[in-house]
């Protein structure tokens, strides 16, 4: 079995000293109502703990302040268990986020390490030696190492075994189809519920990085509509269209225009003229 010291070290990396003690106690005492709670069985991996189940109301008991991100994206449940394969022991957290877009949003906020192609998954990343992430359908999976070390090779094998047992579609969330495909850099897509670009008025935004002529910038679509931005941003007519724009300190200009696919925007322009020209061409 894994050592208590290793558990506490893991907790401190995630939640700080107070969260470490809480996480260690929660893990030992458990709050699961069943021995497996529908947890996927993976070839080559043996359970070394019972399954623990949390929801939005008590997720903080497991991950303390980190629960705020999951609650903001409408987490339904978190099932977690410890598994062993040889000398490697991991904790696998399976977050049911209710909708594929929410699961992808949390993944895009927490993704770290090298993104890898995993059969049966929507997206995945491995960050040796201690972390691996996966999203499939409405499930966001997070793997933390308790003992041993994660490599790209065994991390990929673990995620593929897990993905094969999870329900859901492997396609990107349909909301990302609103982003123009031309110039979009694959693998940079994301979804942010609140505070996109550091602005409280930019909510429910799907986004990606774009490249054209050696320049890169962020393009986005806000799913929340036009009115909230019209109350705060400057307005100008350009090319026969109404444009809303703002200057973001240290990040340049951002602006939006209305299209059939929603409120389309670009960010990172050096000045207003560059913004208007880029926005005029974007998505045409």
């Amino acid at each position: 079995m894994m050592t208590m010291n290793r558990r506490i070290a893991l907790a401190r990396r995630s939640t700080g000293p107070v969260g470490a003690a809480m996480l260690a106690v929660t893990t030992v005492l458990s709050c699961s109502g069943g021995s497996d709670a529908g947890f996927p069985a993976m070839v080559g991996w043996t359970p070394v703990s019972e399954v623990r189940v949390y929801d939005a109301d008590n997720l903080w008991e497991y991950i303390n302040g980190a629960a705020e991100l999951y609650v903001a994206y409408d987490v339904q449940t978190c099932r977690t268990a410890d598994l062993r394969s040889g000398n490697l022991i991991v904790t696998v957290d399976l977050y049911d986020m209710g909708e594929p877009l929410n699961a992808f949003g949390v993944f895009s906020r927490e993704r770290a390490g090298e993104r890898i192609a995993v059969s049966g998954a929507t997206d995945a990343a491995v960050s040796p030696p201690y972390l691996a992430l996966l999203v499939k359908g409405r499930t966001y999976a997070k793997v933390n190492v308790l003992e041993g070390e994660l490599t790209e090779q065994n991390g990929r094998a673990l995620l593929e075994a897990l993905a094969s047992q999870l329900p859901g579609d492997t396609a990107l969330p349909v909301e990302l189809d609103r982003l123009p495909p031309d110039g979009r850099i694959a693998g940079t897509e994301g979804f942010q519920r609140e505070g996109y670009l550091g602005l409280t008025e930019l909510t429910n935004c799907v986004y990606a990085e774009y490249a054209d002529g050696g320049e890169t910038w962020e393009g986005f679509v806000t799913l929340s509509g036009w009115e909230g931005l019209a109350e705060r941003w400057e307005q100008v007519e350009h090319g026969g269209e109404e444009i809303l724009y703002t200057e973001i300190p240290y990040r340049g200009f951002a602006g939006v225009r209305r299209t059939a696919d929603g409120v389309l925007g670009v960010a990172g322009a050096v000045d207003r003229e560059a913004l208007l020209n880029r926005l005029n061409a974007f998505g045409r």
Side-chain angles (χ1 to χ4, degrees):
M1 296 290 289
M2 71 296 297
T3 65
M4 181 62 71
N5 288 339
R6 185 74 173 104
R7 283 191 180 281
I8 294 175
L10 173 64
R12 285 176 175 160
R13 288 201 303 273
S14 305
T15 61
V18 174
M22 182 174 293
L23 177 54
V25 171
T26 302
T27 303
V28 172
L29 297 182
S30 172
C31 67
S32 172
S35 60
D36 59 15
F39 208 82
M42 297 186 291
V43 175
W45 289 87
T46 303
V48 291
S49 78
E50 64 180 356
V51 178
R52 306 170 292 278
V53 182
Y54 302 84
D55 59 22
D57 292 330
N58 66 0
L59 185 58
W60 64 271
E61 295 177 4
Y62 178 43
I63 54 175
N64 201 8
E68 294 180 7
L69 173 64
Y70 298 89
V71 172
Y73 281 78
D74 293 340
V75 65
Q76 304 298 300
T77 61
C78 170
R79 294 173 293 150
T80 179
D82 303 333
L83 309 175
R84 176 195 288 273
S85 179
N87 294 325
L88 185 61
I89 301 177
V90 300
T91 295
V92 178
D93 298 333
L94 300 179
Y95 294 92
D96 178 356
M97 300 305 302
E99 298 289 342
L101 184 62
N102 294 336
F104 190 80
V106 176
F107 172 82
S108 61
R109 294 291 302 275
E110 292 200 325
R111 63 190 174 202
E114 182 178 353
R115 300 180 74 159
I116 59 175
V118 169
S119 176
T122 302
D123 208 342
V126 175
S127 182
Y130 296 127
L131 180 66
L133 308 174
L134 176 150
V135 62
K136 181 180 181 181
R138 57 192 279 177
T139 302
Y140 170 60
K142 188 170 187 177
V143 179
N144 283 292
V145 174
L146 295 176
E147 289 188 4
E149 292 190 356
L150 200 67
T151 66
E152 181 179 339
Q153 182 177 4
N154 64 21
R156 183 193 301 272
L158 188 163
L159 293 180
E160 288 185 346
L162 181 59
S164 69
Q165 300 300 310
L166 294 176
D169 197 338
T170 61
L172 289 171
V174 295
E175 291 84 356
L176 294 176
D177 292 342
R178 300 191 186 193
L179 291 167
D182 292 342
R184 194 166 85 194
I185 302 174
T188 63
E189 298 90 352
F191 168 61
Q192 189 158 336
R193 265 284 179 88
E194 301 175 348
Y196 178 62
L197 300 176
L199 301 176
T200 57
E201 64 268 28
L202 272 179
T203 59
N204 295 313
C205 291
V206 292
Y207 61 88
E209 291 183 18
Y210 286 79
D212 181 28
E215 290 187 294
T216 61
W217 70 91
E218 283 195 15
F220 63 93
V221 173
T222 172
L223 308 177
S224 295
W226 180 268
E227 289 73 17
L229 300 180
E231 295 175 357
R232 299 195 183 193
W233 290 16
E234 300 292 329
Q235 178 179 331
V236 65
E237 185 174 322
H238 181 75
E241 293 183 297
E242 184 180 5
I243 304 296
L244 301 177
Y245 71 93
T246 190
E247 183 177 7
I248 306 173
Y250 309 108
R251 302 190 68 165
F253 283 75
V256 297
R257 62 181 176 86
R258 284 182 279 201
T259 74
D261 290 324
V263 180
L264 181 67
V266 299
V270 296
D271 55 35
R272 195 181 83 162
E273 181 179 359
L275 169 72
L276 295 176
N277 291 334
R278 181 176 296 166
L279 191 57
N280 182 62
F282 188 49
R284 301 294 189 182

